[in-house]
Short mmCIF file of all heavy atoms in Angstrom, two decimals:
data_model
loop_
_atom_site.label_atom_id
_atom_site.label_comp_id
_atom_site.label_asym_id
_atom_site.label_seq_id
_atom_site.Cartn_x
_atom_site.Cartn_y
_atom_site.Cartn_z
N TYR B 89 -34.48 -6.33 -14.67
CA TYR B 89 -35.07 -5.83 -15.91
C TYR B 89 -33.98 -5.31 -16.84
O TYR B 89 -33.12 -4.51 -16.43
CB TYR B 89 -36.03 -4.67 -15.63
CG TYR B 89 -37.30 -5.04 -14.92
CD1 TYR B 89 -37.40 -4.89 -13.54
CD2 TYR B 89 -38.40 -5.52 -15.62
CE1 TYR B 89 -38.58 -5.22 -12.87
CE2 TYR B 89 -39.59 -5.84 -14.96
CZ TYR B 89 -39.66 -5.69 -13.59
OH TYR B 89 -40.82 -6.01 -12.93
N CYS B 90 -34.07 -5.73 -18.07
CA CYS B 90 -33.28 -5.13 -19.14
C CYS B 90 -34.07 -3.93 -19.64
O CYS B 90 -35.29 -4.03 -19.85
CB CYS B 90 -33.11 -6.18 -20.25
SG CYS B 90 -32.18 -5.64 -21.66
N VAL B 91 -33.42 -2.79 -19.81
CA VAL B 91 -34.14 -1.55 -20.09
C VAL B 91 -33.49 -0.79 -21.24
O VAL B 91 -32.27 -0.64 -21.29
CB VAL B 91 -34.17 -0.65 -18.83
CG1 VAL B 91 -34.95 0.62 -19.11
CG2 VAL B 91 -34.78 -1.39 -17.65
N LEU B 92 -34.33 -0.29 -22.13
CA LEU B 92 -33.87 0.47 -23.29
C LEU B 92 -34.19 1.95 -23.05
O LEU B 92 -35.32 2.29 -22.70
CB LEU B 92 -34.61 -0.04 -24.52
CG LEU B 92 -34.42 0.66 -25.85
CD1 LEU B 92 -33.00 0.49 -26.33
CD2 LEU B 92 -35.40 0.10 -26.89
N GLY B 93 -33.19 2.80 -23.24
CA GLY B 93 -33.41 4.24 -23.09
C GLY B 93 -33.99 4.82 -24.37
O GLY B 93 -33.27 4.94 -25.35
N ALA B 94 -35.25 5.14 -24.36
CA ALA B 94 -35.89 5.79 -25.50
C ALA B 94 -35.87 7.30 -25.25
O ALA B 94 -35.43 7.76 -24.22
CB ALA B 94 -37.31 5.27 -25.68
N SER B 95 -36.42 8.06 -26.18
CA SER B 95 -36.26 9.52 -26.10
C SER B 95 -37.00 10.14 -24.92
O SER B 95 -36.54 11.10 -24.32
CB SER B 95 -36.73 10.17 -27.39
OG SER B 95 -38.10 9.85 -27.61
N ARG B 96 -38.15 9.58 -24.55
CA ARG B 96 -38.94 10.24 -23.52
C ARG B 96 -39.32 9.35 -22.35
O ARG B 96 -39.95 9.80 -21.41
CB ARG B 96 -40.20 10.82 -24.15
CG ARG B 96 -39.91 11.91 -25.19
CD ARG B 96 -41.17 12.48 -25.78
NE ARG B 96 -41.93 11.50 -26.51
CZ ARG B 96 -43.10 11.77 -27.08
NH1 ARG B 96 -43.62 12.97 -26.98
NH2 ARG B 96 -43.76 10.83 -27.72
N ALA B 97 -38.97 8.09 -22.42
CA ALA B 97 -39.27 7.18 -21.30
C ALA B 97 -38.39 5.94 -21.42
O ALA B 97 -37.83 5.67 -22.48
CB ALA B 97 -40.74 6.78 -21.31
N LEU B 98 -38.24 5.23 -20.33
CA LEU B 98 -37.51 3.96 -20.36
C LEU B 98 -38.47 2.85 -20.76
O LEU B 98 -39.61 2.81 -20.31
CB LEU B 98 -36.94 3.66 -18.97
CG LEU B 98 -35.88 4.62 -18.44
CD1 LEU B 98 -35.39 4.14 -17.07
CD2 LEU B 98 -34.72 4.75 -19.42
N ILE B 99 -37.97 1.94 -21.62
CA ILE B 99 -38.75 0.79 -22.06
C ILE B 99 -38.21 -0.43 -21.34
O ILE B 99 -37.04 -0.80 -21.51
CB ILE B 99 -38.64 0.58 -23.58
CG1 ILE B 99 -38.92 1.89 -24.34
CG2 ILE B 99 -39.57 -0.55 -24.02
CD1 ILE B 99 -40.30 2.45 -24.14
N PHE B 100 -39.05 -1.05 -20.51
CA PHE B 100 -38.61 -2.18 -19.69
C PHE B 100 -38.87 -3.50 -20.39
O PHE B 100 -39.90 -3.68 -21.04
CB PHE B 100 -39.36 -2.17 -18.35
CG PHE B 100 -38.82 -1.17 -17.36
CD1 PHE B 100 -39.08 0.18 -17.51
CD2 PHE B 100 -38.06 -1.58 -16.29
CE1 PHE B 100 -38.59 1.11 -16.61
CE2 PHE B 100 -37.56 -0.67 -15.36
CZ PHE B 100 -37.82 0.68 -15.53
N GLY B 101 -37.95 -4.45 -20.21
CA GLY B 101 -38.17 -5.82 -20.63
C GLY B 101 -39.16 -6.49 -19.69
O GLY B 101 -39.66 -5.87 -18.75
N THR B 102 -39.42 -7.75 -19.94
CA THR B 102 -40.44 -8.49 -19.20
C THR B 102 -39.98 -8.91 -17.81
O THR B 102 -40.78 -9.34 -17.00
CB THR B 102 -40.88 -9.73 -19.97
OG1 THR B 102 -39.71 -10.43 -20.42
CG2 THR B 102 -41.70 -9.34 -21.19
N GLY B 103 -38.69 -8.78 -17.53
CA GLY B 103 -38.20 -9.09 -16.19
C GLY B 103 -37.81 -10.55 -16.03
O GLY B 103 -38.43 -11.44 -16.60
#
Side-chain angles (χ1 to χ4, degrees):
Chain B
Y89 291 97
C90 180
V91 181
L92 175 66
S95 59
R96 297 181 297 178
L98 296 181
I99 310 298
F100 282 75
T102 48

